[in-house]
Amino acid sequence: VQLQASGGGLVQAGGSLRLSCAASGPTFSGYAMGWFRQAPGKERELVASISWRGGTIYYADAVKGRFTISRDDALNMVYLRMNSLKPEDTAVYYCVADRAAAVVDRPGYWGQGTLVTVSS
């Protein structure tokens, strides 16, 4: 599976962004999808994850109530809607995938990152 993320940019605190990830490859079927992020000087962390067919959804505590993950399996796309953005959300966001788990906490596939910068 190849993953291509887009949608990052510069936004003011309180604003919104939507990240998109296009998946390509032999099959998208059966893959859980998610988003990690890495802030400057910090380790990568799982932000949100959605299982195949969307039955299991996970959010990190820091983004609950503000971020929404969704997927469109017909288009092989996964999205991350980010509302009420805070400066601490500034990070490089990575689209990830894995076929072996419902929550993608140890993804087997990583896309390139897209930078989100939230100004105060």
Side-chain angles (χ1 to χ4, degrees):
V1 174
Q2 292 80 49
L3 305 170
Q4 181 73 37
S6 61
L10 174 64
V11 64
Q12 289 188 331
S16 299
L17 281 175
R18 188 181 80 157
L19 305 183
S20 300
C21 176
S24 60
T27 180
F28 189 59
S29 175
Y31 282 85
M33 306 293 296
W35 294 91
F36 269 70
R37 70 183 180 186
Q38 186 167 25
K42 295 187 177 181
E43 294 185 356
R44 288 181 180 180
E45 61 174 347
L46 177 62
V47 175
S49 174
I50 184 168
S51 63
W52 172 241
R53 301 196 185 281
T56 299
I57 294 178
Y58 164 88
Y59 294 105
D61 288 343
V63 307
K64 280 181 182 176
R66 300 188 297 121
F67 290 12
T68 302
I69 189 170
S70 61
R71 63 189 294 162
D72 185 331
D73 294 329
L75 297 177
N76 288 0
M77 296 289 295
V78 64
Y79 306 98
L80 185 68
R81 178 67 179 181
M82 306 185 293
N83 294 329
S84 302
L85 282 161
K86 304 175 181 180
E88 51 263 44
D89 294 317
T90 295
V92 177
Y93 285 72
Y94 298 89
C95 179
V96 296
D98 198 270
R99 204 158 192 265
V103 177
V104 193
D105 55 354
R106 292 186 177 88
Y109 300 91
W110 292 77
Q112 95 295 351
T114 185
L115 177 63
V116 172
T117 304
V118 184
S119 63
S120 57

